[in-house]
Amino acid sequence: MSETTLTTIPEGTPHTASTYQAKAYAAPGATSPLAPATILRREPGPRDVQIEVLYCGVCHSDLHQARNEWQSAMPTVYPCVPGHEVIGRVTKAGSAVRKFKEGDLAGVGCMVASCGVCPACRDGQEQFCVAPATFTYNSPDAHLGGVTYGGYSDSIVVDEAFALRIPKSLDPAGAAPLLCAGITTYSPLKRWNVGKGQKVGVVGLGGLGHMGVKLANALGARVVVFTTSPGKTQDAVRLGAHEVVVSKDEAEMQKHLGSFDFILDTVSAPHDVNAYIQLLKTDATMTLVGAPDAPMAVSVFGLLFGRRRLAGSIIGGIAETQEMLDFCAEHSIRADVEVIPVQRINEAYERLMKSDVKYRFVIDMASMK
Ligand code: NAP
Ligand code: ZN
């Protein structure tokens, strides 16, 4: 596979930091496979940690972004280095860093900066920063110009405020997906007070879905998985589901009408949300975390009858991400992962497209060397 050209600071862009070269895997364009690349990282400043990346999870968002599937909402700037489920070892800590020292494990999720002063940031909900938040990849890079580059790389540099402590009991590969799939499912489950005595649906058993099942189970809910893949039934039960419904089975779906306290929809492609809205109780909520690339039709009557709510949610704040990591350590929760060398990333994307993932690909970054 040919190496993409060295990524340099775009001409004319002011930059304040000195730089070093890092190895990465990048998408050169929407229709080209990911390939080896050399990128520039900033030398760590006083508040930064430099992290040697050990593992990086493969989120379906990486695929959406690499292939420019969200072009109307978040157009992709190429080359694009995806990856926002990063676990690594701190190799340098700036002079003002307090949370980490060299040799510590650290995590980086979907954000690397935010304004810090808007109401959302002050409230610890940096994901809703009005500035907006700087995402780990494909966001304007305030230090170097161009866009940020993600975790499909041997090294990353972030402000310590956006780095997470990884509890010792979590193994690094199984913990990496918690940085996106974990917090994206934990945050809405907490927001909508999921707990004991409640019936909770999880739609789609992929990376997010399987974390949603584990977390909802640990919070004490009765968990029902909706899947299009009958072959995942046994796994769903092993992961913590109390019941599994193959969503193509109309009669099985009908049995659950009006019975759910909460439904979490993690599906990555356009699908019929109305089939799930009608399964909610009066005043109950269905939250979409999946991010299909096309609009989906909502039958208003499904919401009117039952005063039901359709909501959305995106990742979670830094403090809540740390809370989720600590919750996972306490409950021995980690992702079920298939560890791959970075050279197999394009094959992993093809398998994600076929819902063939059990249940998160994680890149072993030692393969980058
Ligand atoms: P994933 O591992 O590929 O899982 C998606 C699952 O959805 C599949 O395994 C499949 O489950 C189901 N599915 C796929 N295509 C379907 C279709 N056409 N109809 C019905 N079900 C289908 O993806 P992921 O990494 O969990 O991400 C899921 C979505 O969440 C993506 O769109 C991603 O961009 C988004 N996301 C959002 C946030 C956020 O903050 N809101 C964060 C991360 C990711 P079954 O085989 O069980 O049917
Ligand atoms: Zn993600």
Side-chain angles (χ1 to χ4, degrees), residues 199-206 209 213 223-229 232 236 241 243-249 252-254 256 259-260 262-264 266-267 275-276 279:
K199 183 175 169 185
V200 169
V202 176
V203 187
L205 197 65
V213 171
V223 184
V224 181
V225 163
F226 294 93
T227 180
T228 59
S229 309
K232 292 182 182 173
E243 208 175 320
V244 184
V245 175
V246 176
S247 50
K248 292 168 192 157
D249 185 334
E252 278 302 305
M253 293 290 282
Q254 292 293 315
H256 292 273
S259 67
F260 280 88
F262 181 75
I263 297 177
L264 186 67
T266 75
V267 174
Y276 299 101
L279 306 188

PDB file of all heavy atoms in Angstrom, residues 199-206 209 213 223-229 232 236 241 243-249 252-254 256 259-260 262-264 266-267 275-276 279:
ATOM      1  N   LYS A 199     -37.902  -1.400  32.054  1.00  0.00           N
ATOM      2  CA  LYS A 199     -37.683  -2.201  30.852  1.00  0.00           C
ATOM      3  C   LYS A 199     -37.044  -1.295  29.793  1.00  0.00           C
ATOM      4  O   LYS A 199     -37.612  -0.258  29.429  1.00  0.00           O
ATOM      5  CB  LYS A 199     -39.027  -2.750  30.363  1.00  0.00           C
ATOM      6  CG  LYS A 199     -38.931  -3.655  29.155  1.00  0.00           C
ATOM      7  CD  LYS A 199     -40.312  -4.251  28.834  1.00  0.00           C
ATOM      8  CE  LYS A 199     -40.313  -4.940  27.487  1.00  0.00           C
ATOM      9  NZ  LYS A 199     -41.673  -5.412  27.109  1.00  0.00           N
ATOM     10  N   VAL A 200     -35.851  -1.689  29.348  1.00  0.00           N
ATOM     11  CA  VAL A 200     -35.059  -0.845  28.455  1.00  0.00           C
ATOM     12  C   VAL A 200     -34.739  -1.608  27.171  1.00  0.00           C
ATOM     13  O   VAL A 200     -34.307  -2.768  27.216  1.00  0.00           O
ATOM     14  CB  VAL A 200     -33.748  -0.430  29.168  1.00  0.00           C
ATOM     15  CG1 VAL A 200     -32.767   0.220  28.203  1.00  0.00           C
ATOM     16  CG2 VAL A 200     -34.057   0.524  30.308  1.00  0.00           C
ATOM     17  N   GLY A 201     -34.939  -0.950  26.036  1.00  0.00           N
ATOM     18  CA  GLY A 201     -34.612  -1.564  24.752  1.00  0.00           C
ATOM     19  C   GLY A 201     -33.292  -1.015  24.220  1.00  0.00           C
ATOM     20  O   GLY A 201     -33.003   0.171  24.380  1.00  0.00           O
ATOM     21  N   VAL A 202     -32.501  -1.878  23.598  1.00  0.00           N
ATOM     22  CA  VAL A 202     -31.296  -1.438  22.898  1.00  0.00           C
ATOM     23  C   VAL A 202     -31.436  -1.918  21.458  1.00  0.00           C
ATOM     24  O   VAL A 202     -31.568  -3.128  21.208  1.00  0.00           O
ATOM     25  CB  VAL A 202     -30.007  -2.011  23.539  1.00  0.00           C
ATOM     26  CG1 VAL A 202     -28.774  -1.617  22.717  1.00  0.00           C
ATOM     27  CG2 VAL A 202     -29.863  -1.519  24.987  1.00  0.00           C
ATOM     28  N   VAL A 203     -31.428  -0.974  20.513  1.00  0.00           N
ATOM     29  CA  VAL A 203     -31.623  -1.317  19.102  1.00  0.00           C
ATOM     30  C   VAL A 203     -30.270  -1.336  18.398  1.00  0.00           C
ATOM     31  O   VAL A 203     -29.557  -0.332  18.382  1.00  0.00           O
ATOM     32  CB  VAL A 203     -32.562  -0.293  18.417  1.00  0.00           C
ATOM     33  CG1 VAL A 203     -32.893  -0.760  16.994  1.00  0.00           C
ATOM     34  CG2 VAL A 203     -33.822  -0.066  19.228  1.00  0.00           C
ATOM     35  N   GLY A 204     -29.912  -2.492  17.820  1.00  0.00           N
ATOM     36  CA  GLY A 204     -28.638  -2.655  17.111  1.00  0.00           C
ATOM     37  C   GLY A 204     -27.562  -3.168  18.041  1.00  0.00           C
ATOM     38  O   GLY A 204     -27.221  -2.517  19.029  1.00  0.00           O
ATOM     39  N   LEU A 205     -27.030  -4.363  17.728  1.00  0.00           N
ATOM     40  CA  LEU A 205     -25.983  -4.939  18.583  1.00  0.00           C
ATOM     41  C   LEU A 205     -24.633  -4.863  17.860  1.00  0.00           C
ATOM     42  O   LEU A 205     -24.132  -5.836  17.323  1.00  0.00           O
ATOM     43  CB  LEU A 205     -26.331  -6.376  18.970  1.00  0.00           C
ATOM     44  CG  LEU A 205     -25.546  -6.929  20.168  1.00  0.00           C
ATOM     45  CD1 LEU A 205     -25.894  -6.174  21.438  1.00  0.00           C
ATOM     46  CD2 LEU A 205     -25.827  -8.418  20.367  1.00  0.00           C
ATOM     47  N   GLY A 206     -24.076  -3.638  17.880  1.00  0.00           N
ATOM     48  CA  GLY A 206     -22.717  -3.418  17.365  1.00  0.00           C
ATOM     49  C   GLY A 206     -21.872  -2.885  18.512  1.00  0.00           C
ATOM     50  O   GLY A 206     -22.087  -3.241  19.675  1.00  0.00           O
ATOM     51  N   GLY A 209     -24.148  -0.658  20.744  1.00  0.00           N
ATOM     52  CA  GLY A 209     -25.230  -1.483  21.284  1.00  0.00           C
ATOM     53  C   GLY A 209     -24.751  -2.438  22.364  1.00  0.00           C
ATOM     54  O   GLY A 209     -25.374  -2.561  23.420  1.00  0.00           O
ATOM     55  N   VAL A 213     -26.020  -2.577  26.268  1.00  0.00           N
ATOM     56  CA  VAL A 213     -26.571  -3.754  26.961  1.00  0.00           C
ATOM     57  C   VAL A 213     -25.853  -3.975  28.290  1.00  0.00           C
ATOM     58  O   VAL A 213     -26.480  -4.142  29.344  1.00  0.00           O
ATOM     59  CB  VAL A 213     -26.440  -5.014  26.070  1.00  0.00           C
ATOM     60  CG1 VAL A 213     -26.791  -6.272  26.837  1.00  0.00           C
ATOM     61  CG2 VAL A 213     -27.318  -4.869  24.831  1.00  0.00           C
ATOM     62  N   VAL A 223     -33.292  -5.733  30.206  1.00  0.00           N
ATOM     63  CA  VAL A 223     -32.791  -5.283  28.900  1.00  0.00           C
ATOM     64  C   VAL A 223     -33.315  -6.176  27.769  1.00  0.00           C
ATOM     65  O   VAL A 223     -33.191  -7.403  27.824  1.00  0.00           O
ATOM     66  CB  VAL A 223     -31.245  -5.288  28.878  1.00  0.00           C
ATOM     67  CG1 VAL A 223     -30.720  -4.736  27.552  1.00  0.00           C
ATOM     68  CG2 VAL A 223     -30.678  -4.487  30.048  1.00  0.00           C
ATOM     69  N   VAL A 224     -33.892  -5.528  26.767  1.00  0.00           N
ATOM     70  CA  VAL A 224     -34.348  -6.236  25.565  1.00  0.00           C
ATOM     71  C   VAL A 224     -33.536  -5.727  24.373  1.00  0.00           C
ATOM     72  O   VAL A 224     -33.484  -4.518  24.125  1.00  0.00           O
ATOM     73  CB  VAL A 224     -35.855  -5.988  25.311  1.00  0.00           C
ATOM     74  CG1 VAL A 224     -36.321  -6.743  24.062  1.00  0.00           C
ATOM     75  CG2 VAL A 224     -36.684  -6.378  26.530  1.00  0.00           C
ATOM     76  N   VAL A 225     -32.883  -6.639  23.663  1.00  0.00           N
ATOM     77  CA  VAL A 225     -32.109  -6.261  22.475  1.00  0.00           C
ATOM     78  C   VAL A 225     -32.967  -6.453  21.225  1.00  0.00           C
ATOM     79  O   VAL A 225     -33.653  -7.463  21.082  1.00  0.00           O
ATOM     80  CB  VAL A 225     -30.828  -7.119  22.372  1.00  0.00           C
ATOM     81  CG1 VAL A 225     -30.225  -7.070  20.974  1.00  0.00           C
ATOM     82  CG2 VAL A 225     -29.796  -6.644  23.392  1.00  0.00           C
ATOM     83  N   PHE A 226     -32.926  -5.458  20.341  1.00  0.00           N
ATOM     84  CA  PHE A 226     -33.547  -5.576  19.019  1.00  0.00           C
ATOM     85  C   PHE A 226     -32.428  -5.672  17.995  1.00  0.00           C
ATOM     86  O   PHE A 226     -31.575  -4.794  17.917  1.00  0.00           O
ATOM     87  CB  PHE A 226     -34.408  -4.346  18.721  1.00  0.00           C
ATOM     88  CG  PHE A 226     -35.601  -4.229  19.626  1.00  0.00           C
ATOM     89  CD1 PHE A 226     -35.530  -3.476  20.785  1.00  0.00           C
ATOM     90  CD2 PHE A 226     -36.774  -4.912  19.334  1.00  0.00           C
ATOM     91  CE1 PHE A 226     -36.621  -3.380  21.634  1.00  0.00           C
ATOM     92  CE2 PHE A 226     -37.886  -4.827  20.185  1.00  0.00           C
ATOM     93  CZ  PHE A 226     -37.801  -4.055  21.335  1.00  0.00           C
ATOM     94  N   THR A 227     -32.423  -6.756  17.238  1.00  0.00           N
ATOM     95  CA  THR A 227     -31.346  -6.961  16.274  1.00  0.00           C
ATOM     96  C   THR A 227     -31.920  -7.396  14.931  1.00  0.00           C
ATOM     97  O   THR A 227     -32.995  -8.001  14.869  1.00  0.00           O
ATOM     98  CB  THR A 227     -30.343  -8.022  16.806  1.00  0.00           C
ATOM     99  OG1 THR A 227     -29.296  -8.202  15.854  1.00  0.00           O
ATOM    100  CG2 THR A 227     -31.004  -9.366  17.082  1.00  0.00           C
ATOM    101  N   THR A 228     -31.154  -7.077  13.871  1.00  0.00           N
ATOM    102  CA  THR A 228     -31.525  -7.597  12.551  1.00  0.00           C
ATOM    103  C   THR A 228     -30.751  -8.885  12.263  1.00  0.00           C
ATOM    104  O   THR A 228     -30.921  -9.474  11.208  1.00  0.00           O
ATOM    105  CB  THR A 228     -31.192  -6.571  11.443  1.00  0.00           C
ATOM    106  OG1 THR A 228     -29.779  -6.288  11.479  1.00  0.00           O
ATOM    107  CG2 THR A 228     -31.970  -5.281  11.605  1.00  0.00           C
ATOM    108  N   SER A 229     -29.879  -9.265  13.182  1.00  0.00           N
ATOM    109  CA  SER A 229     -28.989 -10.413  12.980  1.00  0.00           C
ATOM    110  C   SER A 229     -29.355 -11.560  13.924  1.00  0.00           C
ATOM    111  O   SER A 229     -28.882 -11.582  15.072  1.00  0.00           O
ATOM    112  CB  SER A 229     -27.531 -10.009  13.235  1.00  0.00           C
ATOM    113  OG  SER A 229     -27.182  -8.860  12.514  1.00  0.00           O
ATOM    114  N   LYS A 232     -26.892 -13.205  16.357  1.00  0.00           N
ATOM    115  CA  LYS A 232     -26.327 -12.535  17.538  1.00  0.00           C
ATOM    116  C   LYS A 232     -27.123 -12.817  18.814  1.00  0.00           C
ATOM    117  O   LYS A 232     -26.785 -12.299  19.886  1.00  0.00           O
ATOM    118  CB  LYS A 232     -26.261 -11.018  17.296  1.00  0.00           C
ATOM    119  CG  LYS A 232     -25.263 -10.581  16.232  1.00  0.00           C
ATOM    120  CD  LYS A 232     -25.224  -9.051  16.077  1.00  0.00           C
ATOM    121  CE  LYS A 232     -24.266  -8.616  14.972  1.00  0.00           C
ATOM    122  NZ  LYS A 232     -24.345  -7.155  14.704  1.00  0.00           N
ATOM    123  N   ALA A 236     -26.112 -11.824  22.628  1.00  0.00           N
ATOM    124  CA  ALA A 236     -26.861 -10.758  23.318  1.00  0.00           C
ATOM    125  C   ALA A 236     -27.166 -11.181  24.753  1.00  0.00           C
ATOM    126  O   ALA A 236     -27.007 -10.397  25.694  1.00  0.00           O
ATOM    127  CB  ALA A 236     -28.144 -10.441  22.558  1.00  0.00           C
ATOM    128  N   ALA A 241     -28.423  -9.247  27.971  1.00  0.00           N
ATOM    129  CA  ALA A 241     -29.821  -9.053  27.591  1.00  0.00           C
ATOM    130  C   ALA A 241     -30.699 -10.105  28.273  1.00  0.00           C
ATOM    131  O   ALA A 241     -30.292 -11.261  28.409  1.00  0.00           O
ATOM    132  CB  ALA A 241     -29.976  -9.152  26.082  1.00  0.00           C
ATOM    133  N   GLU A 243     -33.840 -10.516  27.102  1.00  0.00           N
ATOM    134  CA  GLU A 243     -34.699 -10.965  26.001  1.00  0.00           C
ATOM    135  C   GLU A 243     -34.120 -10.421  24.693  1.00  0.00           C
ATOM    136  O   GLU A 243     -33.525  -9.337  24.686  1.00  0.00           O
ATOM    137  CB  GLU A 243     -36.100 -10.380  26.207  1.00  0.00           C
ATOM    138  CG  GLU A 243     -37.202 -11.202  25.616  1.00  0.00           C
ATOM    139  CD  GLU A 243     -38.585 -10.607  25.977  1.00  0.00           C
ATOM    140  OE1 GLU A 243     -38.780 -10.147  27.111  1.00  0.00           O
ATOM    141  OE2 GLU A 243     -39.424 -10.594  25.089  1.00  0.00           O
ATOM    142  N   VAL A 244     -34.318 -11.154  23.618  1.00  0.00           N
ATOM    143  CA  VAL A 244     -33.801 -10.709  22.312  1.00  0.00           C
ATOM    144  C   VAL A 244     -34.936 -10.799  21.295  1.00  0.00           C
ATOM    145  O   VAL A 244     -35.618 -11.830  21.214  1.00  0.00           O
ATOM    146  CB  VAL A 244     -32.621 -11.592  21.840  1.00  0.00           C
ATOM    147  CG1 VAL A 244     -32.033 -11.054  20.532  1.00  0.00           C
ATOM    148  CG2 VAL A 244     -31.539 -11.657  22.913  1.00  0.00           C
ATOM    149  N   VAL A 245     -35.140  -9.720  20.549  1.00  0.00           N
ATOM    150  CA  VAL A 245     -36.174  -9.708  19.518  1.00  0.00           C
ATOM    151  C   VAL A 245     -35.499  -9.491  18.165  1.00  0.00           C
ATOM    152  O   VAL A 245     -34.728  -8.531  17.999  1.00  0.00           O
ATOM    153  CB  VAL A 245     -37.191  -8.563  19.759  1.00  0.00           C
ATOM    154  CG1 VAL A 245     -38.198  -8.476  18.619  1.00  0.00           C
ATOM    155  CG2 VAL A 245     -37.891  -8.743  21.100  1.00  0.00           C
ATOM    156  N   VAL A 246     -35.745 -10.392  17.222  1.00  0.00           N
ATOM    157  CA  VAL A 246     -35.270 -10.162  15.857  1.00  0.00           C
ATOM    158  C   VAL A 246     -36.288  -9.203  15.228  1.00  0.00           C
ATOM    159  O   VAL A 246     -37.466  -9.535  15.073  1.00  0.00           O
ATOM    160  CB  VAL A 246     -35.151 -11.491  15.083  1.00  0.00           C
ATOM    161  CG1 VAL A 246     -34.757 -11.231  13.620  1.00  0.00           C
ATOM    162  CG2 VAL A 246     -34.124 -12.402  15.763  1.00  0.00           C
ATOM    163  N   SER A 247     -35.823  -7.989  14.930  1.00  0.00           N
ATOM    164  CA  SER A 247     -36.760  -6.892  14.636  1.00  0.00           C
ATOM    165  C   SER A 247     -37.559  -7.100  13.359  1.00  0.00           C
ATOM    166  O   SER A 247     -38.584  -6.446  13.159  1.00  0.00           O
ATOM    167  CB  SER A 247     -35.999  -5.568  14.586  1.00  0.00           C
ATOM    168  OG  SER A 247     -34.878  -5.684  13.743  1.00  0.00           O
ATOM    169  N   LYS A 248     -37.109  -8.043  12.503  1.00  0.00           N
ATOM    170  CA  LYS A 248     -37.879  -8.304  11.276  1.00  0.00           C
ATOM    171  C   LYS A 248     -39.123  -9.138  11.584  1.00  0.00           C
ATOM    172  O   LYS A 248     -40.002  -9.274  10.737  1.00  0.00           O
ATOM    173  CB  LYS A 248     -37.005  -9.061  10.271  1.00  0.00           C
ATOM    174  CG  LYS A 248     -35.867  -8.217   9.718  1.00  0.00           C
ATOM    175  CD  LYS A 248     -34.866  -9.106   8.970  1.00  0.00           C
ATOM    176  CE  LYS A 248     -33.574  -8.346   8.672  1.00  0.00           C
ATOM    177  NZ  LYS A 248     -32.420  -9.223   8.458  1.00  0.00           N
ATOM    178  N   ASP A 249     -39.211  -9.698  12.795  1.00  0.00           N
ATOM    179  CA  ASP A 249     -40.341 -10.549  13.173  1.00  0.00           C
ATOM    180  C   ASP A 249     -41.476  -9.681  13.727  1.00  0.00           C
ATOM    181  O   ASP A 249     -41.491  -9.307  14.904  1.00  0.00           O
ATOM    182  CB  ASP A 249     -39.853 -11.561  14.229  1.00  0.00           C
ATOM    183  CG  ASP A 249     -40.923 -12.569  14.596  1.00  0.00           C
ATOM    184  OD1 ASP A 249     -42.127 -12.249  14.451  1.00  0.00           O
ATOM    185  OD2 ASP A 249     -40.550 -13.666  15.049  1.00  0.00           O
ATOM    186  N   GLU A 252     -43.359 -10.714  16.949  1.00  0.00           N
ATOM    187  CA  GLU A 252     -42.559 -10.514  18.173  1.00  0.00           C
ATOM    188  C   GLU A 252     -42.551  -9.034  18.565  1.00  0.00           C
ATOM    189  O   GLU A 252     -42.642  -8.696  19.749  1.00  0.00           O
ATOM    190  CB  GLU A 252     -41.112 -10.996  17.946  1.00  0.00           C
ATOM    191  CG  GLU A 252     -40.914 -12.483  18.109  1.00  0.00           C
ATOM    192  CD  GLU A 252     -41.330 -12.984  19.491  1.00  0.00           C
ATOM    193  OE1 GLU A 252     -40.829 -12.450  20.501  1.00  0.00           O
ATOM    194  OE2 GLU A 252     -42.187 -13.890  19.536  1.00  0.00           O
ATOM    195  N   MET A 253     -42.425  -8.165  17.584  1.00  0.00           N
ATOM    196  CA  MET A 253     -42.419  -6.714  17.849  1.00  0.00           C
ATOM    197  C   MET A 253     -43.746  -6.298  18.493  1.00  0.00           C
ATOM    198  O   MET A 253     -43.764  -5.541  19.469  1.00  0.00           O
ATOM    199  CB  MET A 253     -42.205  -5.926  16.540  1.00  0.00           C
ATOM    200  CG  MET A 253     -40.839  -6.083  15.904  1.00  0.00           C
ATOM    201  SD  MET A 253     -39.514  -5.295  16.837  1.00  0.00           S
ATOM    202  CE  MET A 253     -39.729  -3.565  16.390  1.00  0.00           C
ATOM    203  N   GLN A 254     -44.851  -6.806  17.971  1.00  0.00           N
ATOM    204  CA  GLN A 254     -46.189  -6.437  18.461  1.00  0.00           C
ATOM    205  C   GLN A 254     -46.373  -6.784  19.941  1.00  0.00           C
ATOM    206  O   GLN A 254     -47.080  -6.088  20.666  1.00  0.00           O
ATOM    207  CB  GLN A 254     -47.275  -7.146  17.630  1.00  0.00           C
ATOM    208  CG  GLN A 254     -47.377  -6.663  16.192  1.00  0.00           C
ATOM    209  CD  GLN A 254     -47.864  -5.217  16.084  1.00  0.00           C
ATOM    210  OE1 GLN A 254     -48.813  -4.837  16.749  1.00  0.00           O
ATOM    211  NE2 GLN A 254     -47.188  -4.411  15.293  1.00  0.00           N
ATOM    212  N   HIS A 256     -44.525  -6.291  22.281  1.00  0.00           N
ATOM    213  CA  HIS A 256     -43.892  -5.305  23.175  1.00  0.00           C
ATOM    214  C   HIS A 256     -44.523  -3.916  23.080  1.00  0.00           C
ATOM    215  O   HIS A 256     -44.005  -2.966  23.672  1.00  0.00           O
ATOM    216  CB  HIS A 256     -42.397  -5.213  22.852  1.00  0.00           C
ATOM    217  CG  HIS A 256     -41.647  -6.466  23.199  1.00  0.00           C
ATOM    218  ND1 HIS A 256     -41.129  -6.693  24.448  1.00  0.00           N
ATOM    219  CD2 HIS A 256     -41.367  -7.564  22.461  1.00  0.00           C
ATOM    220  CE1 HIS A 256     -40.531  -7.873  24.464  1.00  0.00           C
ATOM    221  NE2 HIS A 256     -40.666  -8.434  23.271  1.00  0.00           N
ATOM    222  N   SER A 259     -44.690  -0.874  26.048  1.00  0.00           N
ATOM    223  CA  SER A 259     -44.190  -1.494  27.286  1.00  0.00           C
ATOM    224  C   SER A 259     -42.826  -0.992  27.761  1.00  0.00           C
ATOM    225  O   SER A 259     -42.367  -1.382  28.829  1.00  0.00           O
ATOM    226  CB  SER A 259     -44.112  -3.012  27.082  1.00  0.00           C
ATOM    227  OG  SER A 259     -43.115  -3.328  26.120  1.00  0.00           O
ATOM    228  N   PHE A 260     -42.154  -0.125  26.999  1.00  0.00           N
ATOM    229  CA  PHE A 260     -40.776   0.257  27.368  1.00  0.00           C
ATOM    230  C   PHE A 260     -40.699   1.591  28.112  1.00  0.00           C
ATOM    231  O   PHE A 260     -41.375   2.561  27.766  1.00  0.00           O
ATOM    232  CB  PHE A 260     -39.888   0.352  26.118  1.00  0.00           C
ATOM    233  CG  PHE A 260     -39.406  -0.991  25.652  1.00  0.00           C
ATOM    234  CD1 PHE A 260     -40.178  -1.738  24.761  1.00  0.00           C
ATOM    235  CD2 PHE A 260     -38.218  -1.521  26.118  1.00  0.00           C
ATOM    236  CE1 PHE A 260     -39.762  -2.985  24.336  1.00  0.00           C
ATOM    237  CE2 PHE A 260     -37.780  -2.772  25.700  1.00  0.00           C
ATOM    238  CZ  PHE A 260     -38.559  -3.514  24.820  1.00  0.00           C
ATOM    239  N   PHE A 262     -37.682   3.064  28.325  1.00  0.00           N
ATOM    240  CA  PHE A 262     -36.637   3.793  27.598  1.00  0.00           C
ATOM    241  C   PHE A 262     -36.115   2.906  26.472  1.00  0.00           C
ATOM    242  O   PHE A 262     -35.987   1.697  26.654  1.00  0.00           O
ATOM    243  CB  PHE A 262     -35.482   4.158  28.550  1.00  0.00           C
ATOM    244  CG  PHE A 262     -34.379   4.932  27.890  1.00  0.00           C
ATOM    245  CD1 PHE A 262     -34.544   6.278  27.568  1.00  0.00           C
ATOM    246  CD2 PHE A 262     -33.163   4.329  27.589  1.00  0.00           C
ATOM    247  CE1 PHE A 262     -33.526   6.999  26.954  1.00  0.00           C
ATOM    248  CE2 PHE A 262     -32.133   5.043  26.965  1.00  0.00           C
ATOM    249  CZ  PHE A 262     -32.320   6.379  26.658  1.00  0.00           C
ATOM    250  N   ILE A 263     -35.813   3.521  25.333  1.00  0.00           N
ATOM    251  CA  ILE A 263     -35.184   2.773  24.232  1.00  0.00           C
ATOM    252  C   ILE A 263     -33.982   3.571  23.730  1.00  0.00           C
ATOM    253  O   ILE A 263     -34.068   4.793  23.541  1.00  0.00           O
ATOM    254  CB  ILE A 263     -36.176   2.512  23.070  1.00  0.00           C
ATOM    255  CG1 ILE A 263     -37.347   1.631  23.546  1.00  0.00           C
ATOM    256  CG2 ILE A 263     -35.471   1.834  21.890  1.00  0.00           C
ATOM    257  CD1 ILE A 263     -38.425   1.366  22.496  1.00  0.00           C
ATOM    258  N   LEU A 264     -32.857   2.876  23.561  1.00  0.00           N
ATOM    259  CA  LEU A 264     -31.634   3.477  23.040  1.00  0.00           C
ATOM    260  C   LEU A 264     -31.399   2.913  21.646  1.00  0.00           C
ATOM    261  O   LEU A 264     -31.225   1.701  21.476  1.00  0.00           O
ATOM    262  CB  LEU A 264     -30.464   3.111  23.966  1.00  0.00           C
ATOM    263  CG  LEU A 264     -29.121   3.753  23.660  1.00  0.00           C
ATOM    264  CD1 LEU A 264     -29.182   5.262  23.900  1.00  0.00           C
ATOM    265  CD2 LEU A 264     -28.031   3.135  24.534  1.00  0.00           C
ATOM    266  N   THR A 266     -29.099   2.614  18.478  1.00  0.00           N
ATOM    267  CA  THR A 266     -27.684   2.769  18.099  1.00  0.00           C
ATOM    268  C   THR A 266     -27.425   2.466  16.621  1.00  0.00           C
ATOM    269  O   THR A 266     -26.271   2.310  16.217  1.00  0.00           O
ATOM    270  CB  THR A 266     -26.782   1.825  18.944  1.00  0.00           C
ATOM    271  OG1 THR A 266     -26.938   0.470  18.459  1.00  0.00           O
ATOM    272  CG2 THR A 266     -27.099   1.879  20.423  1.00  0.00           C
ATOM    273  N   VAL A 267     -28.471   2.387  15.835  1.00  0.00           N
ATOM    274  CA  VAL A 267     -28.318   1.899  14.448  1.00  0.00           C
ATOM    275  C   VAL A 267     -27.600   2.937  13.560  1.00  0.00           C
ATOM    276  O   VAL A 267     -27.910   4.121  13.611  1.00  0.00           O
ATOM    277  CB  VAL A 267     -29.696   1.513  13.869  1.00  0.00           C
ATOM    278  CG1 VAL A 267     -29.585   1.149  12.389  1.00  0.00           C
ATOM    279  CG2 VAL A 267     -30.283   0.372  14.671  1.00  0.00           C
ATOM    280  N   ALA A 275     -41.299   1.984  14.264  1.00  0.00           N
ATOM    281  CA  ALA A 275     -41.527   0.631  14.785  1.00  0.00           C
ATOM    282  C   ALA A 275     -41.137   0.557  16.257  1.00  0.00           C
ATOM    283  O   ALA A 275     -41.700  -0.250  17.013  1.00  0.00           O
ATOM    284  CB  ALA A 275     -40.706  -0.376  13.977  1.00  0.00           C
ATOM    285  N   TYR A 276     -40.205   1.413  16.695  1.00  0.00           N
ATOM    286  CA  TYR A 276     -39.745   1.405  18.092  1.00  0.00           C
ATOM    287  C   TYR A 276     -40.496   2.419  18.941  1.00  0.00           C
ATOM    288  O   TYR A 276     -40.783   2.167  20.114  1.00  0.00           O
ATOM    289  CB  TYR A 276     -38.228   1.647  18.149  1.00  0.00           C
ATOM    290  CG  TYR A 276     -37.488   0.558  17.415  1.00  0.00           C
ATOM    291  CD1 TYR A 276     -37.006   0.756  16.129  1.00  0.00           C
ATOM    292  CD2 TYR A 276     -37.349  -0.707  17.975  1.00  0.00           C
ATOM    293  CE1 TYR A 276     -36.382  -0.262  15.425  1.00  0.00           C
ATOM    294  CE2 TYR A 276     -36.725  -1.735  17.291  1.00  0.00           C
ATOM    295  CZ  TYR A 276     -36.246  -1.504  16.014  1.00  0.00           C
ATOM    296  OH  TYR A 276     -35.642  -2.527  15.328  1.00  0.00           O
ATOM    297  N   LEU A 279     -43.391   1.222  20.756  1.00  0.00           N
ATOM    298  CA  LEU A 279     -43.142   0.272  21.848  1.00  0.00           C
ATOM    299  C   LEU A 279     -42.976   0.995  23.190  1.00  0.00           C
ATOM    300  O   LEU A 279     -42.900   0.346  24.242  1.00  0.00           O
ATOM    301  CB  LEU A 279     -41.887  -0.570  21.564  1.00  0.00           C
ATOM    302  CG  LEU A 279     -41.831  -1.329  20.237  1.00  0.00           C
ATOM    303  CD1 LEU A 279     -40.608  -2.253  20.215  1.00  0.00           C
ATOM    304  CD2 LEU A 279     -43.101  -2.139  19.994  1.00  0.00           C
TER     305      LEU A 279
END
